[in-house]
């Protein structure tokens, strides 16, 4: 009790009865400061908590790298940084005589998932179906045909391939390719990713909905360029073994890609439901097909292609539109870009999704007439 009495006595000494102030500060000012302190403090605490919780994680809902695998692609930068700069070997017009300068491969690309973003490589192997790992997967949506008449039975739904022609949001889905590497620290020949020949990782924008999404979008505007949009990822085995296929229960189904219906491996069980939502499909109406890992699902190419009688075999593709390899001259894209109206954005060769980009020694569009390389 003596301690409490001393405390009250000391507090009383701080009050000046003649002026009604405490330590020389008017009571009105103290009340105003107290009001603002209690009003602003909770808001500051909330904003600080959001920054601490959300920003360090980049708002991502991603997955770790596949064990025992290394990521494929250029380590940094791109070989197309100067693609818009005219080269000394550029011909002045498509009709002029070609220069005799050396041709050179400028850039190499693969697109493991059809219509999603590609991966630039330093080197690649060319197989019968095209560059290794190119367009071996394809997203597909469930098409439900209409009844021929009100009394007719509803036709069976069918899977159809999905491209950027139908859904431009596919261009925002990035793809990583990981293949087994004994040089990695955690490599084991029995790890699932090694047994499946590697894996791909699909990453797509994943804007949260409701109050959480509102808070994240507001904080993103507050932080400006320092904040990144939230994303979500999915890991898909690259080339599952027969035992992995059996264990996972992947069905083998037909799906429509142009006029073909190849038998393919349905691996849609690895896709998160948020991807269908992002692309605008009902849950269960989006899946992922893979070319049969051990052969048998290739599509023969006949249009404008050499015949089996000439080559000894018929050219084949996986999920590419028409031909195994897409070759494009950088000079052709620069010439096409120059034909646009003033102020139009310059075209990039990446817009045309090539596998091989070459430069030097040719007039624009000359590759259209090539018959042999």
């Amino acid at each position: 009790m003596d301690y409490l009495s001393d405390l009250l006595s000391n507090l009383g000494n701080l009050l000046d009865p003649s002026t009604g102030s405490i330590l020389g500060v008017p009571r009105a000012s103290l009340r105003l400061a107290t009001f603002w302190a209690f009003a602003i403090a909770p808001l500051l605490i909330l904003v600080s908590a959001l920054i601490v919780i959300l920003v360090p994680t980049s708002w991502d809902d991603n997955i770790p790298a596949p064990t025992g695998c290394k990521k494929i692609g250029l380590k940094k930068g791109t070989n197309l940084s100067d693609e818009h700069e005219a080269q000394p070997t550029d011909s002045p017009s498509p009709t002029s005589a070609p220069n005799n300068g050396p041709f050179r491969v400028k850039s190499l690309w693969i697109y493991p998932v059809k219509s999603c973003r590609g991966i630039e490589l330093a080197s690649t192997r060319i197989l019968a179906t095209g560059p290794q790992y190119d367009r071996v997967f394809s997203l597909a949506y469930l098409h439900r045909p209409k009844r021929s008449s009100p009394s007719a039975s509803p036709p069976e739904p069918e899977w159809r391939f999905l491209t950027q022609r139908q859904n431009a949001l596919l261009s925002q889905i990035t793809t990583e390719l990981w293949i087994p590497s004994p040089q990695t620290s955690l490599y084991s020949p029995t790890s699932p990713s090694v047994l499946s020949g590697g894996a791909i990782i699909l990453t797509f924008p994943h804007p949260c909905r409701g109050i959480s999404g509102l808070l994240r979008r507001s904080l993103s505007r507050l932080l400006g360029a320092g904040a990144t949009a939230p994303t979500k990822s999915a890991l898909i085995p690259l080339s599952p073994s027969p035992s992995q296929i059996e264990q996972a229960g992947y069905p083998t189904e037909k799906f429509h890609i142009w006029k073909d219906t190849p038998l393919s491996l349905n691996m849609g069980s690895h896709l998160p439901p948020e991807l269908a939502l992002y692309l605008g499909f009902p849950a269960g109406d989006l899946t992922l097909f893979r070319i049969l890992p051990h052969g048998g699902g290739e599509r023969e190419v006949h249009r404008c292609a050499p015949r089996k009688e000439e080559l000894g075999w018929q050219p084949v593709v996986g999920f590419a539109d028409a031909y195994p390899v897409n070759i494009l001259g950088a000079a052709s894209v620069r010439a096409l870009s120059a034909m646009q109206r003033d102020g139009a954005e310059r075209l990039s060769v990446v817009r045309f999704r090539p596998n091989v980009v070459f430069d030097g020694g040719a007039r624009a569009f000359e590759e259209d007439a090539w018959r042999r390389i």
Side-chain angles (χ1 to χ4, degrees):
M1 293 295 295
D2 293 339
Y3 172 77
L4 182 59
S5 299
D6 292 341
L7 179 61
L8 293 174
S9 176
N10 291 331
L11 289 175
N13 293 333
L14 299 177
L15 178 63
D16 185 349
S18 61
T19 61
S21 64
I22 298 177
L23 291 177
V25 180
R27 286 185 175 180
S29 299
L30 286 173
R31 284 195 295 269
L32 183 61
T34 303
F35 169 78
W36 283 111
F38 279 99
I40 295 177
L43 180 61
L44 292 176
I45 293 173
L46 176 61
V47 172
S48 300
L50 288 173
I51 292 175
V52 170
I53 294 172
L54 299 178
V55 173
T57 62
S58 300
W59 306 349
D60 293 341
D61 185 10
N62 295 338
I63 53 181
T67 302
C69 298
K70 67 176 181 179
K71 187 177 177 181
I72 297 301
L74 296 185
K75 300 300 181 182
K76 58 181 179 179
T78 173
N79 292 324
L80 296 174
S81 57
D82 62 346
E83 64 170 315
H84 298 298
E85 299 177 10
Q87 302 297 311
T89 53
D90 277 5
S91 297
S93 72
T95 57
S96 63
N99 292 290
N100 294 319
F103 290 93
R104 63 186 180 91
V105 174
K106 185 175 183 62
S107 183
L108 297 170
W109 289 80
I110 57 171
Y111 310 86
V113 181
K114 185 179 181 66
S115 280
C116 295
R117 290 190 182 182
I119 300 171
E120 189 175 8
L121 305 175
S123 62
T124 188
R125 293 177 59 198
I126 302 297
L127 309 178
T129 55
Q132 189 176 23
Y133 308 122
D134 185 53
R135 296 171 171 92
V136 294
F137 292 91
S138 175
L139 289 164
Y141 68 97
L142 196 60
H143 173 70
R144 293 181 171 84
K146 296 181 180 179
R147 299 186 185 191
S148 56
S149 66
S151 59
S153 301
E156 288 292 325
E158 57 190 23
W159 292 110
R160 291 189 175 182
F161 78 115
L162 184 66
T163 76
Q164 288 187 32
R165 300 176 185 87
Q166 303 150 297
N167 196 317
L169 291 176
L170 292 175
S171 65
Q172 303 304 306
I173 301 176
T174 60
T175 308
E176 295 178 7
L177 174 63
W178 296 76
I179 63 171
S181 173
Q183 285 71 42
T184 58
S185 58
L186 299 178
Y187 177 83
S188 169
T190 59
S191 68
S193 293
V194 173
L195 290 174
S196 65
I200 62 168
I201 296 179
L202 295 181
T203 302
F204 58 95
H206 179 224
C208 297
R209 300 179 182 273
I211 296 177
S212 176
L214 178 62
L215 288 174
R216 289 186 174 191
R217 289 191 295 273
S218 300
L219 189 56
S220 178
R221 295 189 186 99
L222 177 64
L223 297 178
T228 58
T231 60
K232 191 174 184 67
S233 296
L235 185 144
I236 297 100
L238 178 60
S239 184
S241 65
S243 61
Q244 288 177 319
I245 292 174
E246 182 179 0
Q247 183 178 4
Y250 303 132
T252 300
E253 302 180 56
K254 289 184 177 182
F255 88 111
H256 288 259
I257 176 168
W258 297 113
K259 296 181 179 180
D260 300 319
T261 53
L263 273 175
S264 305
L265 203 62
N266 189 333
M267 300 179 67
S269 57
H270 294 285
L271 297 182
E274 292 86 354
L275 180 57
L277 180 65
Y278 171 68
L279 294 174
F281 292 98
D285 280 15
L286 184 75
T287 194
L288 182 73
F289 280 101
R290 194 211 186 279
I291 301 171
L292 293 179
H294 309 289
E298 298 85 2
R299 299 153 51 224
E300 290 189 348
V301 178
H302 294 276
R303 185 182 60 182
C304 300
R307 298 300 177 186
K308 182 177 181 179
E309 294 73 23
E310 303 174 47
L311 296 176
W313 73 90
Q314 191 63 40
V316 293
V317 295
F319 292 153
D321 281 342
Y323 303 104
V325 182
N326 182 1
I327 300 176
L328 181 61
S332 301
V333 180
R334 287 192 290 268
L336 182 62
S337 190
M339 298 177 190
Q340 298 186 106
R341 64 179 184 275
D342 293 341
E345 181 181 355
R346 292 184 296 183
L347 297 173
S348 170
V349 296
V350 179
R351 294 281 296 273
F352 300 90
R353 303 177 66 78
N355 296 122
V356 181
V357 180
F358 71 91
D359 213 351
R363 60 176 178 259
F365 313 115
E366 182 183 351
E367 64 270 23
D368 289 346
W370 289 355
R371 299 185 63 84
R372 185 181 295 272
I373 299 176

